[in-house]
Amino acid sequence: MDRMFRVLGFWTLVIGLAALAGDFIPMALIFFAQTAIFMLLGYMKLSERAYILIFWGYMILSFTGFTYWSFFKMHV
């Protein structure tokens, strides 16, 4: 399970670099921060249950934040 967080770190790094190339600086910084967190978690050697709980917490937080931003903050 720890390898999966390293894979998530790799893909968030790729997305962050693409955002940086596209001059989306705030988005790139968010994804670079996620990369650091995922890589750190990938090397912590936690139990599988802890990794699953952390991932579910991350998913709930990110989906709630995305839904809030797209519903209340984006101008249509």
Side-chain angles (χ1 to χ4, degrees), residues 50-70:
Y51 279 123
I52 289 172
L53 289 173
I54 290 169
F55 182 71
W56 272 102
Y58 168 75
M59 294 306 289
I60 289 169
L61 182 69
S62 64
F63 286 144
T64 304
F66 178 78
T67 303
Y68 171 80
W69 185 265
S70 62

Side-chain angles (χ1 to χ4, degrees), residues 3-75:
R3 288 185 189 172
M4 194 62 223
F5 276 91
R6 287 184 238 155
V7 171
L8 285 170
F10 169 76
W11 285 112
T12 54
L13 177 64
V14 169
I15 294 169
L17 290 173
L20 191 62
D23 206 27
F24 295 110
I25 304 300
M27 178 182 165
L29 292 176
I30 289 170
F31 275 90
F32 290 149
Q34 288 180 7
T35 299
I37 291 169
F38 284 147
M39 288 303 216
L40 179 73
L41 285 170
Y43 287 103
M44 287 183 69
K45 301 289 185 194
L46 299 174
S47 68
E48 186 171 348
R49 180 178 171 86
Y51 279 123
I52 289 172
L53 289 173
I54 290 169
F55 182 71
W56 272 102
Y58 168 75
M59 294 306 289
I60 289 169
L61 182 69
S62 64
F63 286 144
T64 304
F66 178 78
T67 303
Y68 171 80
W69 185 265
S70 62
F71 192 76
F72 293 114
K73 297 290 185 176
M74 284 183 70
H75 301 289

